[in-house]
Amino acid sequence: MSAIRRAHRQNTLVLIMFFAAGIVFLDRFGITFLFPQIGEELHLSNSRLGALVSVTAVAWAVSSLIFSAVSDRLGGRTKWMIVASLVLFSCSVGLIGLAPNYGTMLLLRALIGFCEGPALPLIQGAVARSSPPERRGRDMGVVIAGTLLIGSALAPGIMIGLAAAWGWRLAFPLVAVPGLAVAALVAVFMREGGPSGEDAPRVRARDFRRLFADRNVPLTLLGSTVCIGSSIGFGTFAPSYLHDEGLSRGAATLVLTAYGCAIALGSVLAPAVSDRVGRRPALFAAAIASGLVPVCFVVFAHSVPMLLVSLVVGLVAGGSLTLVTYVVPGESVPRELMATAFALQIAVGETVGGALGPQIGGAVADATGDLADALLLYGAAPLVLAAVALLIRETAPRAAGAAAARDAPDAGGEAVLP
């Protein structure tokens, strides 16, 4: 196959996965933009609203680890697992609008998490396996940009617009339709190259011990926990905070959309820059910027122009999740274990950070009567991520040096299991 044709196929795969990942996060976090209406109708406290996010995180964590390990055991054949995940969670999201009470909604949110869990690790594994090392960070960043652009930047307009036109209950079945459409695209256009059948490399049970052979894995587990916990917690309560501060629905939507766009663009730019300057400095800068975002929301909440200008820090902050959860771990384990490495990051990050982040923030807000305190907590947490960035071993092929990469094949995402 010619280089041009390979590049075209890779770009097509990345584009499809961009939309697939975006739909995953739209369906997962879109509910947070309707919390003011849902909370008012069902008379829910901040803690109970936070639980709707937390239960999804726990179920997501469990299923992502289970199905990613199964995928690696089967030689990385993921196409139909991705399709099944997209179809099942889309159908589950559509049922949210029919929930008669809080208990049913909580159960459906758990089901959504379980069905969505495998999607992102398998998507990133497919992209990482097919990407050349020199553009791996960029390609994986594009996938995360989909989660941020569709699931964060466009989500406020989509969810609030649908709810304003047809009510929040009808918004959920309507927003589930794109997930089914993207599942069809994956089924038709995704091709799984490389060995197949009995010739495909299979991971044995004892091989999973090698996930912790590199110090980067436990370090990034800590970093992912902080990153996921603070970002999910911030995303959970930022819409309600702006509402409490008196911003109109239109102004709040503008701010949240601008924030999502900045983070989405940053999720591509920062990993792409890290392909050249290294993962460590890029992750450190992203961690510091991640802490500044919630602080800017609190300081400039009453000045929409200043708030919009300050969100330029999102261009740097956007790379933190991609780098600590996917790029660095993926380059620190044998490629046959990539999907499991990604899922392990998500499982720990979601179970600890994703579950506790919204719960702790909601409890702090309920105790103090001010959501600003929760946002400031999410602004302090990324300092731990900055420390992780200073401690990890550099994995970028260009920054680490071609010679070092050849001498330590296990560290570049290109290693094979003996």
Side-chain angles (χ1 to χ4, degrees):
M1 185 186 298
S2 67
I4 295 178
R5 187 176 178 184
R6 283 196 300 269
H8 176 73
R9 176 174 291 183
Q10 176 65 16
N11 290 336
T12 300
L13 174 66
V14 172
L15 180 62
I16 291 173
M17 295 311 185
F18 167 89
F19 285 106
I23 294 298
V24 169
F25 272 63
L26 173 64
D27 286 355
R28 178 180 177 183
F29 292 113
I31 191 174
T32 63
F33 301 105
L34 303 184
F35 272 177
Q37 298 97 305
I38 295 173
E40 182 179 354
E41 180 175 325
L42 300 181
H43 308 290
L44 303 178
S45 66
N46 287 317
S47 296
R48 299 196 89 184
L49 289 172
L52 291 175
V53 179
S54 298
V55 70
T56 305
V58 173
W60 173 299
V62 173
S63 68
S64 67
L65 190 56
I66 292 173
F67 290 106
S68 295
V70 170
S71 169
D72 283 340
R73 287 292 302 271
L74 297 177
R77 315 301 289 179
T78 61
K79 175 178 178 176
W80 295 110
M81 294 177 70
I82 294 173
V83 171
S85 175
L86 290 168
V87 170
L88 291 174
F89 78 68
S90 295
C91 293
S92 301
V93 167
L95 296 174
I96 285 285
L98 301 176
N101 52 50
Y102 176 73
T104 303
M105 186 174 290
L106 196 66
L107 180 62
L108 286 171
R109 289 289 297 173
L111 180 60
I112 289 169
F114 189 81
C115 295
E116 282 186 330
L120 197 55
L122 299 183
I123 286 170
Q124 287 286 48
V127 171
R129 286 186 175 99
S130 61
S131 296
E134 65 273 11
R135 55 176 283 184
R136 185 180 295 126
R138 187 196 71 178
D139 286 353
M140 298 179 77
V142 169
V143 173
I144 295 300
T147 70
L148 297 168
L149 182 62
I150 299 174
S152 179
L154 300 182
I158 293 172
M159 299 303 298
I160 295 174
L162 291 174
W166 289 289
W168 70 265
R169 289 189 177 275
L170 190 55
F172 289 102
L174 291 175
V175 83
V177 173
L180 300 175
V182 173
L185 287 176
V186 174
V188 173
F189 292 105
M190 181 178 174
R191 297 181 180 179
E192 293 185 302
S196 60
E198 295 183 356
D199 294 329
R202 305 299 175 105
V203 177
R204 297 159 294 187
R206 64 177 181 272
D207 293 328
F208 289 107
R209 295 176 300 177
R210 300 190 64 186
L211 286 171
F212 293 93
D214 192 295
R215 75 170 187 266
N216 282 2
V217 174
L219 284 171
T220 52
L221 283 174
L222 174 60
S224 293
T225 299
V226 172
C227 184
I228 292 173
S230 59
S231 62
I232 290 179
F234 174 71
T236 299
F237 295 113
S240 296
Y241 174 74
L242 295 178
H243 179 268
D244 291 348
E245 291 299 307
L247 267 68
S248 67
R249 180 178 295 177
T253 301
L254 174 62
V255 170
L256 294 170
T257 300
Y259 165 68
C261 287
I263 293 291
L265 183 58
S267 71
V268 178
L269 293 178
V273 169
S274 80
D275 285 336
R276 294 180 174 274
V277 305
R279 313 304 187 200
R280 295 178 65 194
L283 179 57
F284 180 81
I288 297 300
S290 296
L292 292 176
V293 169
V295 174
C296 290
F297 265 69
V298 173
V299 173
F300 300 114
H302 299 288
S303 175
V304 173
M306 286 299 298
L307 188 55
L308 292 173
V309 171
S310 69
L311 292 182
V312 69
V313 295
L315 293 175
V316 182
S320 57
L321 180 65
T322 306
L323 289 168
V324 76
T325 306
Y326 297 105
V327 177
V328 174
E331 291 177 332
S332 303
V333 302
R335 64 183 295 123
E336 289 82 5
L337 292 173
M338 273 187 179
T340 302
F342 300 153
L344 180 65
Q345 298 289 326
I346 292 176
V348 175
E350 294 279 5
T351 302
V352 182
L356 293 181
Q359 287 289 287
I360 293 174
V364 168
D366 286 340
T368 63
D370 191 352
L371 277 172
D373 294 327
L375 265 61
L376 291 175
L377 175 67
Y378 299 136
L383 292 175
V384 177
L385 181 59
V388 168
L390 297 177
L391 295 174
I392 62 170
R393 178 183 56 79
E394 182 60 68
T395 63
R398 180 173 297 190
R406 287 194 299 268
D407 293 339
D410 284 0
E414 301 296 331
V416 295
L417 296 172

